[in-house]
Amino acid sequence: MTLIKSISGIRGTIGGVVGDNLTPVDAVKFASAYGTFLKNNSKKEKLTVVVGRDARISGPMIHNLITHTLIGLGIDIIDLGLSTTPTVEIAVPLENADGGIILTASHNPKQWNALKLLNEKGEFLSAKEGELILQIAEDEAFIFSEVDDLGTITENDAYMDIHIDEVLNLPLVDAEAVAKRKYKVVVDAVNSSGGIIIPKLLELMGVEVVKLYCEPNGHFPHNPEPLKEHLGDICKLVLEEKADFGIVVDPDVDRLAFISNDGEMFGEEYTLVACADYVLSKTPGNTVSNMSSSRALRDITNNHNGNYQASAVGEVNVVELMKATNAIIGGEGNGGIIYPELHYGRDSLVGVALFLTYLANQEKTVAELRASYPQYYMSKNKIELTPQIDVDAILIAMTEKYKSEDITTIDGVKIDFAENWVHLRKSNTEPIIRIYTEAQTQDLADALALRIIAEIKAIAGFRQNF
C-alpha cells in the first residue's frame, strides 16, 4: 500500500486502486477535507488558498484536481503554478490567504506526489489540525457550493521573483560582497523548480552558474534525495569545472546540500551548522534542530554563547520549539534551514544566500570551512521486525537498559553518551525501528549502530519466544 495519510498531508504513488494509491479520487477527497476544514474554522464568507507545485510529471494533473475541487467548495485560488515549498509558504501571508497547498512529494521518486498543507501563516498545520482533516476525509463531510458561489482562479507567476527579492533584502545577505568574489557554482536541481529559482538567485548575487539537471521537466535523472550515493555527477562536475562549490536541492527546494571545492560532500548536517555559525556571529541567540541532527549545531551555538535545544523530529515540531525559545535560526539535519527573519519554513534560498555571504567574508575554501567545524559522523540504519513484535516494549526495554545515561523520550528514545549518541524511533506505518547514531569517526558511529542493533534484536528475540 503506497497511500500514506498523516497529519501533515497525504502522499502516495500515482495510479492504481482508490484508497491504496494517490488516485484522482483520493486527491479530490483530501482536497475537499482540507477546504472544508478551512471553512469550518473561519468566519469569513470568502476564503483564499495559495497553490503551487513542483515539476514532477503528475503535477499538472494533481494541480487541476486540487484547484477545481477547492473552487467547488467556493474557495478562491491564487495559482502560483510551478513553484517551491518555501515560495508558497511566503506567498500565503503576503496574499493574506487563509491557507496554502504545495503539490510535491519532496525527495520521493517521480512516481510519487503529495499534498503539503499550510495554515494562514504559511506554516504547516499542527497535529491536532491534521487529525481533524483526516477525520473530515474519513467521514466525507463535504458540502459543495452552488453555482453562483463557486470560487475563482487568479494566476500569479511572479512569486519566485518575489521570493528571491525577499531573500536578497535580508540584512545579513550581502550580494555585493558575494559578487566581488566572482564565485563559480554548479547547481543540480534534479530537473525540478529549483532549476529556475536557484540559478536566478545566484546570478543576481553575481555568481557564475554551471547548470546540471536544471530543466524543470520532472524527469529526475537520479534519486532526488540529496544524499552522497546519488550525487556522483555533480561531485565530478565541480572538479571538472574547477568550481568553488556545488549546490544540490530536492524537487521542492526545502532541502539544501553543498559539494565542497574538492568534490566531496560538505554534509547535509553541516548546511545548517555553517549558516547558523554566520547568523550567530552577527546576531547572537538561540538555535533549535531535531533530535536526530548533529551535535555540531549545539557546539557552534555554545561557542557563540547561545542556547541550543532539540525538538521531536518533524518541521512543525522544530518550528514550535523555535518560537518557544525565540531561536534566531534552526532547522533539520537533512539540509533544512529555517530562518524566522524571513519565515518559519525550511528554505534553500535563504540557506544559499546566507552561506554565500558568510563564505565571501572568509579567507577559506569551502573544504577548509568544513574542516574548521567539529567533526562528527552519522550512521543511519533501520531494523525491520515482524508485525507481532511490540516495538514500544523494545523501546521501553532500551530505556531501562541505559537509564543511567542522559535519556530523552519526547520522540522515541535518544541516549546521549559522553562522546556519542543514539536515537531510536519507530515507524508509524510499519514495524520498523530507525537507528541514528553519531560519533567522532565514521567507524565509531557504525560500531555503535551495530551494537545497538544487536541489543534490540536480542530483546526482540526474547520477547518473541514468549
Side-chain angles (χ1 to χ4, degrees), residues 289-327:
S289 64
N290 69 40
M291 293 171 60
S292 290
S293 298
S294 175
R295 274 186 182 176
L297 180 61
R298 180 202 65 180
D299 294 350
I300 291 297
T301 305
N302 291 342
N303 290 344
H304 290 286
N305 298 313
N307 178 49
Y308 164 79
Q309 291 194 44
S311 76
V313 173
E315 182 174 334
V316 66
N317 297 315
V318 175
V319 168
E320 182 180 356
L321 188 55
M322 287 181 69
K323 290 179 177 180
T325 59
N326 294 314

Coordinates of all heavy atoms in Angstrom, one line a residue, residues 289-327:
S289 N 17.3 22.4 16.6 CA 17.2 21.4 15.5 C 16.5 20.1 16.1 O 16.2 20.1 17.3 CB 18.6 21.0 14.9 OG 19.4 20.3 15.9
N290 N 16.3 19.2 15.2 CA 15.6 18.0 15.8 C 16.5 17.0 16.5 O 17.8 17.1 16.3 CB 14.7 17.3 14.8 CG 15.5 16.6 13.7 OD1 16.5 16.0 13.9 ND2 15.0 16.7 12.4
M291 N 16.0 16.0 17.1 CA 16.8 15.1 18.0 C 17.7 14.3 17.1 O 18.7 13.7 17.7 CB 15.9 14.2 18.8 CG 15.1 15.0 19.9 SD 13.9 13.9 20.6 CE 14.9 12.7 21.3
S292 N 17.5 14.1 15.9 CA 18.3 13.3 15.0 C 19.4 14.1 14.3 O 20.0 13.5 13.4 CB 17.4 12.5 14.0 OG 16.7 11.5 14.7
S293 N 19.5 15.3 14.6 CA 20.5 16.2 14.0 C 21.8 16.2 14.7 O 21.9 15.9 15.9 CB 20.0 17.6 13.8 OG 18.8 17.6 13.0
S294 N 22.9 16.7 14.1 CA 24.2 16.6 14.6 C 24.4 17.5 15.8 O 23.8 18.5 16.0 CB 25.2 17.0 13.5 OG 26.5 17.1 14.1
R295 N 25.3 17.0 16.7 CA 25.7 17.8 17.9 C 26.5 19.0 17.5 O 26.7 19.9 18.3 CB 26.6 16.9 18.8 CG 25.9 16.1 19.8 CD 26.9 15.4 20.7 NE 26.2 14.5 21.7 CZ 26.9 13.8 22.6 NH1 28.2 13.8 22.6 NH2 26.2 13.0 23.4
A296 N 27.0 19.1 16.2 CA 27.8 20.2 15.8 C 27.1 21.5 16.0 O 27.7 22.5 16.3 CB 28.2 20.0 14.4
L297 N 25.7 21.5 15.8 CA 25.0 22.8 15.9 C 25.0 23.2 17.4 O 25.2 24.4 17.7 CB 23.5 22.6 15.5 CG 22.7 23.9 15.6 CD1 23.2 25.0 14.8 CD2 21.2 23.6 15.2
R298 N 24.9 22.3 18.3 CA 25.0 22.6 19.7 C 26.3 23.2 20.1 O 26.4 24.2 20.8 CB 24.8 21.3 20.6 CG 24.9 21.5 22.1 CD 25.2 20.2 22.8 NE 26.6 19.7 22.4 CZ 27.1 18.6 22.9 NH1 26.4 17.8 23.7 NH2 28.3 18.3 22.5
D299 N 27.4 22.6 19.5 CA 28.8 23.1 19.8 C 28.9 24.5 19.3 O 29.5 25.4 20.0 CB 29.8 22.2 19.1 CG 29.8 20.8 19.8 OD1 29.2 20.6 20.8 OD2 30.5 19.9 19.2
I300 N 28.5 24.8 18.0 CA 28.6 26.1 17.4 C 27.8 27.1 18.2 O 28.2 28.2 18.5 CB 28.1 26.1 16.0 CG1 29.1 25.3 15.1 CG2 28.0 27.5 15.4 CD1 30.5 25.8 15.0
T301 N 26.6 26.7 18.6 CA 25.7 27.6 19.4 C 26.4 28.0 20.8 O 26.4 29.1 21.2 CB 24.4 27.0 19.7 OG1 23.8 26.6 18.4 CG2 23.4 28.0 20.4
N302 N 27.0 27.0 21.4 CA 27.7 27.2 22.7 C 28.9 28.2 22.5 O 29.2 29.0 23.3 CB 28.2 25.9 23.3 CG 27.0 25.0 23.8 OD1 25.9 25.5 24.0 ND2 27.3 23.8 24.0
N303 N 29.6 28.0 21.3 CA 30.7 28.9 21.0 C 30.3 30.3 20.9 O 31.1 31.2 21.2 CB 31.4 28.5 19.7 CG 32.1 27.1 19.9 OD1 32.4 26.7 21.0 ND2 32.5 26.5 18.7
H304 N 29.1 30.6 20.5 CA 28.5 31.9 20.4 C 27.7 32.3 21.6 O 27.0 33.3 21.6 CB 27.7 32.0 19.1 CG 28.5 32.0 17.9 ND1 29.3 33.0 17.4 CD2 28.6 31.0 16.9 CE1 29.9 32.7 16.3 NE2 29.5 31.5 16.0
N305 N 27.8 31.6 22.7 CA 27.1 31.9 24.0 C 25.6 31.8 23.8 O 24.9 32.6 24.6 CB 27.6 33.2 24.5 CG 29.1 33.2 24.8 OD1 29.6 32.3 25.5 ND2 29.8 34.3 24.4
G306 N 25.1 31.0 22.9 CA 23.7 30.8 22.8 C 23.2 29.6 23.5 O 24.0 28.8 24.0
N307 N 21.9 29.3 23.4 CA 21.3 28.1 24.0 C 20.8 27.2 22.9 O 19.9 27.7 22.1 CB 20.3 28.5 25.0 CG 19.6 27.3 25.6 OD1 20.3 26.4 26.1 ND2 18.3 27.3 25.6
Y308 N 21.2 26.0 22.9 CA 20.7 25.0 21.9 C 19.7 24.1 22.5 O 19.9 23.6 23.6 CB 21.8 24.2 21.3 CG 21.3 23.0 20.5 CD1 20.8 23.1 19.2 CD2 21.3 21.7 21.1 CE1 20.3 22.0 18.5 CE2 20.8 20.6 20.5 CZ 20.3 20.8 19.2 OH 19.9 19.7 18.5
Q309 N 18.6 23.8 21.8 CA 17.6 22.8 22.2 C 17.2 21.9 21.1 O 17.2 22.4 19.9 CB 16.4 23.4 22.9 CG 16.7 24.1 24.2 CD 15.4 24.4 25.0 OE1 14.5 23.6 25.1 NE2 15.3 25.6 25.5
A310 N 16.8 20.7 21.4 CA 16.4 19.7 20.4 C 14.9 19.4 20.5 O 14.4 19.2 21.6 CB 17.2 18.4 20.5
S311 N 14.3 19.4 19.3 CA 12.8 19.1 19.3 C 12.6 17.6 18.8 O 13.5 16.9 18.4 CB 12.1 20.0 18.3 OG 12.4 19.6 17.0
A312 N 11.4 17.2 18.9 CA 11.0 16.0 18.2 C 11.2 16.1 16.7 O 11.2 17.2 16.2 CB 9.5 15.6 18.5
V313 N 11.4 15.0 16.0 CA 11.6 15.0 14.6 C 10.3 15.6 13.9 O 9.2 15.2 14.3 CB 12.0 13.7 14.0 CG1 12.0 13.6 12.5 CG2 13.3 13.2 14.6
G314 N 10.5 16.4 12.9 CA 9.4 16.9 12.1 C 9.5 18.5 12.1 O 9.7 19.1 13.2
E315 N 9.3 19.1 10.9 CA 9.4 20.5 10.8 C 8.5 21.3 11.7 O 8.9 22.3 12.4 CB 9.2 20.9 9.4 CG 9.4 22.4 9.1 CD 9.2 22.8 7.7 OE1 9.5 22.0 6.8 OE2 8.9 24.0 7.4
V316 N 7.3 20.8 11.9 CA 6.3 21.5 12.7 C 6.8 21.5 14.2 O 6.6 22.5 14.9 CB 4.9 20.9 12.6 CG1 4.9 19.5 13.1 CG2 3.9 21.8 13.3
N317 N 7.5 20.5 14.6 CA 8.0 20.4 16.0 C 9.2 21.3 16.2 O 9.3 22.0 17.2 CB 8.4 19.0 16.3 CG 7.2 18.0 16.3 OD1 6.1 18.3 16.8 ND2 7.4 16.9 15.7
V318 N 10.0 21.4 15.1 CA 11.2 22.3 15.2 C 10.7 23.8 15.3 O 11.1 24.6 16.1 CB 12.1 22.2 14.0 CG1 13.2 23.2 14.0 CG2 12.7 20.8 13.9
V319 N 9.7 24.1 14.5 CA 9.2 25.5 14.5 C 8.5 25.8 15.8 O 8.7 26.9 16.3 CB 8.1 25.7 13.3 CG1 7.3 26.9 13.5 CG2 8.8 25.6 12.0
E320 N 7.8 24.9 16.4 CA 7.1 25.1 17.7 C 8.2 25.4 18.7 O 8.0 26.4 19.5 CB 6.3 23.9 18.0 CG 5.5 24.1 19.4 CD 4.7 22.9 19.7 OE1 4.7 21.9 18.9 OE2 4.1 22.8 20.8
L321 N 9.2 24.7 18.8 CA 10.3 24.9 19.8 C 11.1 26.2 19.5 O 11.5 26.9 20.4 CB 11.2 23.7 19.9 CG 12.2 23.7 21.0 CD1 11.5 23.9 22.4 CD2 13.1 22.5 21.0
M322 N 11.3 26.5 18.2 CA 11.9 27.7 17.9 C 11.2 29.0 18.4 O 11.7 29.9 18.9 CB 12.1 27.8 16.3 CG 13.2 26.9 15.8 SD 13.4 27.1 14.0 CE 14.1 28.8 13.9
K323 N 9.9 28.9 18.2 CA 9.0 30.0 18.7 C 9.1 30.1 20.2 O 9.2 31.2 20.8 CB 7.6 29.8 18.2 CG 7.4 30.0 16.7 CD 5.9 29.8 16.3 CE 5.7 30.1 14.8 NZ 4.3 29.8 14.4
A324 N 9.0 28.9 20.9 CA 9.0 28.9 22.3 C 10.3 29.4 22.9 O 10.4 30.0 24.0 CB 8.8 27.5 22.8
T325 N 11.4 29.3 22.2 CA 12.8 29.6 22.7 C 13.3 30.9 22.1 O 14.5 31.3 22.3 CB 13.8 28.5 22.6 OG1 13.9 28.2 21.2 CG2 13.3 27.2 23.3
N326 N 12.5 31.5 21.2 CA 13.0 32.7 20.4 C 14.3 32.4 19.7 O 15.2 33.3 19.6 CB 13.2 33.9 21.4 CG 11.9 34.4 22.0 OD1 10.9 34.5 21.3 ND2 11.9 34.6 23.3
A327 N 14.3 31.2 19.1 CA 15.5 30.9 18.3 C 15.6 31.8 17.1 O 14.6 32.0 16.4 CB 15.5 29.4 17.9

